[in-house]
Amino acid sequence: MRVLEGRLTMITIVDVRDAISRIQHQVQQTADDLCARDGQLGDGDLGITLEKAFNRLAEIGPTLPEDLGKAFAAAAAAVSKVSSSSFGTLLATGLLAAAKRSIGKTELHSTAVPDLLRAACQKMSERGSASLGDKTVLDAIDAAARALDSHPKDSVSAVITAVDETLSLFRDRQCKIGRARIFSDRSIGLDDPGMVAFRVMVGALKSS
Amino acid sequence: MKKLLNDPAAYADETLAGLCCAHPEFYRLSPESPRVVVRPDSPVQGRVGIVTGGGSGHLPVFTGYVGRGLLNACAIGDVFASPSADEMAIAMRAANGGAGVLRLYGNYGGDIMNFEMAGEMVELEDITSSTVKVADDVASASTAERAKRRGVAGMVYAFKIAGAAAEKGFDLDKVTRVAQKAADNARSIGVALSPCIVPKAGKPTFTLQENEMEIGMGIHGEPGVRRSELKPANVVADEMLDAILSDGAVKGGDRVSVLVNSLGATPLEELYILFARVADRLDKLGAQIVMPLVGRYATSMEMTGASLTVLILDPELEELLRAPAECAFWKVG
């Protein structure tokens, strides 16, 4: 991705639209796999949830306002409208947290991204009653924020590496929250589907 | 499944369309969502707006209580499912007359998550809001854990009292305070005799044998506190009233309102049989019943059974309860 690849720069609505369209494309390729992974531990709708969310975001992309706060808020509303499943609600929650931090800004410095991720992570944690270490998407987001702190340049690659490491780190642990908790023994050896979904999203941002 | 419907997936939408078509003086669909019902005169400038939201399948709860002296707007989900945060935000905007909006709804996880998010969405547009969650079902958690209780028929009283407070021009803090007081003073418990069927599921949400009843069952078929053989109405009324009184005592001289509510299929006749016993018991305690309600106020589609709600009044709540209000299902004054 132009903005995050290789240099410090400013993020505008153009970059957000670009990110949405890249992620939408990638999510379409991986939706079945995400559903299958989710089906081993949950209700098996994660891929569909993400596909619905990003298809809708791609539809409204051209109409998103330049004010990034308003754009993130509109994105949160759109996601919540097409998917009231738990991951859809969490994604909307994260976007809304980012919206609050960005209201009135048409540009964000790329170094502000870790703060947005942490704000999103915090709010998602409250809303989903999950903590870091529970083997959820929060652990992947937190790892991404830390990677951005230490690698402000070449950031997408650093984030991908960090998320991959987090997936490995948690693979043999038990899920501690959500429906997967009921099958916590079965979750050992399996990647958390929410983390995999986040990996798909950040993977889509890497320039091919 | 034996239901009068066209398509299970369209159940909620077609219900709301019919409701608004039948009673345009009380309800209109938001131009922004077929799942948001708004009072035709809302927002009222300078007045606090009252919004609620929840799943379909409980009429007159939730949408039915949109009306003068009641709610301004309501977001509706599929049967027994939360509406989205976006729909709740649309309802909040439609209720906002510049004096803030009270989110007044039942204590259920999905609704809480979405209403909190809706509040954050409209906060970005400078709409101030507050929250009161109705948690009146004494069977769903102990007195010590009353904040975890489910919201059932008691929310009808909270809607009425909050709506009257807004109509009188109270500010958001005061409307919120009286709505919370109504929610705190309302206690309910239900009894189920037979289940209901969620249209998309196509089969009953639980099973009860022909001779069985379950005390304390929730309005979505959540498990109750005790399943037993079906007992005479007076024994059932006693069990329900005892559960309510042991949570919040009613003393001689207290003024209370009582709602004996059908969960859907139980006829008025049986509700009056229950009411007679409850009234007799309260009379013996020296309590005075004010504005009793007997009928279908908060249902669970075709579930057979009833719920009992007792609202302990003080002069402020009684005045607000008696204030004029009107919707298609309830008229006061």
Side-chain angles (χ1 to χ4, degrees), chain A:
Chain A
M1 190 182 181
R2 179 178 71 79
V3 158
L4 293 175
E5 203 63 43
R7 61 183 188 277
L8 299 172
T9 184
M10 301 304 277
I11 298 170
T12 68
I13 192 63
V14 176
D15 304 301
V16 173
R17 290 181 185 134
D18 180 39
I20 288 171
S21 104
R22 284 162 174 267
I23 295 172
Q24 182 207 15
H25 179 73
Q26 202 59 36
V27 162
Q28 280 175 344
Q29 312 296 313
T30 50
D32 289 346
D33 174 59
L34 285 173
C35 282
R37 286 171 182 270
D38 189 34
Q40 290 180 293
L41 294 168
D43 47 9
D45 65 353
L46 179 59
I48 297 168
T49 297
L50 277 185
E51 206 172 10
K52 280 201 294 197
F54 279 93
N55 284 348
R56 180 70 189 138
L57 288 176
E59 267 174 48
I60 65 163
T63 66
L64 287 175
E66 291 197 358
D67 181 324
L68 292 169
K70 287 183 180 165
F72 289 141
V79 169
S80 92
K81 195 169 197 160
V82 292
S83 175
S84 47
S85 77
S86 52
F87 201 85
T89 302
L90 286 176
L91 181 58
T93 299
L95 284 166
L96 203 55
K100 277 194 171 179
R101 298 255 171 156
S102 328
I103 204 86
K105 295 178 187 162
T106 54
E107 287 186 331
L108 274 176
H109 201 272
S110 57
T111 52
V113 175
D115 274 349
L116 292 189
L117 289 175
R118 287 200 179 90
C121 206
Q122 172 67 29
K123 207 70 203 176
M124 290 161 79
S125 163
E126 286 168 20
R127 191 145 288 149
S129 304
S131 310
L132 287 178
D134 285 350
K135 192 174 177 178
T136 69
V137 68
L138 299 180
D139 294 301
I141 299 174
D142 181 62
R146 281 185 281 119
L148 287 172
D149 285 337
S150 44
H151 299 87
K153 294 184 178 180
D154 200 21
S155 47
V156 173
S157 301
V159 165
I160 289 173
T161 306
V163 174
D164 282 340
E165 284 170 5
T166 308
L167 279 163
S168 304
L169 183 67
F170 280 89
R171 191 162 294 132
D172 290 325
R173 298 194 194 173
Q174 291 183 341
C175 287
K176 291 187 180 165
I177 192 92
R179 206 168 303 192
R181 170 181 48 82
I182 302 162
F183 316 109
S184 57
D185 284 343
R186 212 192 294 172
S187 67
I188 294 174
L190 294 177
D191 287 333
D192 171 64
M195 281 195 214
V196 177
F198 187 68
R199 172 67 178 79
V200 168
M201 291 187 231
V202 296
L205 302 182
K206 190 167 176 61
S207 295
S208 50

Side-chain angles (χ1 to χ4, degrees), chain B residues 77-290:
Chain B
D78 278 333
V79 173
F80 297 175
S82 176
S84 72
D86 183 56
E87 285 152 350
M88 290 170 171
I90 291 169
M92 290 177 75
R93 287 184 200 109
N96 175 43
V101 176
L102 169 65
R103 294 169 283 181
L104 178 57
Y105 58 98
N107 190 27
Y108 295 94
D111 296 323
I112 296 169
M113 206 183 242
N114 286 317
F115 251 129
E116 282 179 359
M117 193 148 67
E120 289 176 14
M121 286 177 181
V122 300
E123 190 188 322
L124 293 169
E125 301 154 30
D126 293 326
I127 297 176
T128 311
S129 62
S130 63
T131 297
V132 171
K133 288 174 278 189
V134 181
D136 57 316
D137 184 350
V138 297
S140 54
S142 66
T143 311
E145 291 192 305
R146 64 176 304 181
K148 292 187 178 172
R149 287 175 177 169
R150 301 183 289 254
V152 289
M155 73 176 83
V156 174
Y157 283 121
F159 293 162
K160 173 70 186 73
I161 282 158
E167 193 78 16
K168 278 183 183 292
F170 289 8
D171 67 15
L172 182 60
D173 284 350
K174 206 168 170 195
V175 171
T176 306
R177 182 182 61 75
V178 294
Q180 187 67 58
K181 182 159 67 169
D184 291 343
N185 284 15
R187 292 178 177 80
S188 304
I189 187 168
V191 60
L193 310 186
S194 75
C196 60
I197 298 173
V198 175
K200 278 188 191 168
K203 54 180 194 279
T205 47
F206 58 90
T207 52
L208 271 172
Q209 298 306 313
E210 185 57 31
N211 63 339
E212 281 184 327
M213 65 173 193
E214 185 160 331
I215 295 265
M217 181 164 279
I219 55 173
H220 310 98
E222 297 95 332
V225 285
R226 192 164 47 259
R227 187 173 281 213
S228 68
E229 64 183 30
L230 183 58
K231 294 173 184 163
N234 285 356
V235 178
V236 176
D238 284 348
E239 261 196 64
M240 291 164 81
L241 186 61
D242 288 342
I244 287 173
L245 296 181
S246 71
D247 189 74
V250 172
K251 313 176 293 295
D254 278 354
R255 296 172 70 79
V256 299
S257 186
V258 170
L259 162 58
V260 177
N261 168 57
S262 170
L263 293 178
T266 290
L268 278 169
E269 282 82 352
E270 292 167 35
L271 302 181
Y272 281 112
I273 293 172
L274 290 171
F275 182 81
R277 177 66 168 196
V278 171
D280 185 47
R281 290 271 320 267
L282 289 171
D283 186 51
K284 287 193 171 118
L285 283 172
Q288 175 88 36
I289 297 180
V290 174

